[in-house]
Amino acid sequence: DEVIKLLDAEANSDIPLQQAREDELKGDAYLQKGDKEQAGALYQSSIDALTEAGQAGGLVQIKLDNL
């Protein structure tokens, strides 16, 4: 819970790559808590932000696929 609060406090959604990283980390935190649904939504959001920035989201896609 503390990791998620810290990431929410530092959120900067104006920068797609930063948003992608924050969403990936929050997804990891939710997965550790056992909330696969929220983790999956955040991983997908990360992939969307990476795509918007013209970057590959391979590692995040693997995390999503393994839920």
Side-chain angles (χ1 to χ4, degrees):
D1 291 332
E2 195 64 32
V3 170
I4 295 166
K5 288 178 187 175
L6 288 171
L7 288 169
D8 284 340
E10 296 295 321
N12 186 355
S13 61
D14 294 337
I15 303 170
L17 288 176
Q18 180 68 26
Q19 183 63 47
R21 185 66 181 139
E22 290 169 1
D23 286 346
E24 180 184 1
L25 290 172
K26 283 193 273 187
D28 292 345
Y30 275 100
L31 185 58
Q32 287 295 314
K33 289 176 52 171
D35 189 342
K36 290 183 178 183
E37 185 176 331
Q38 186 64 31
L42 285 160
Y43 289 154
Q44 186 60 58
S45 179
S46 176
I47 291 166
D48 294 345
L50 287 167
T51 301
E52 179 183 337
Q55 301 291 314
L59 177 61
V60 183
Q61 184 66 55
I62 291 169
K63 291 180 180 185
L64 181 60
D65 290 345
N66 284 323
L67 291 179

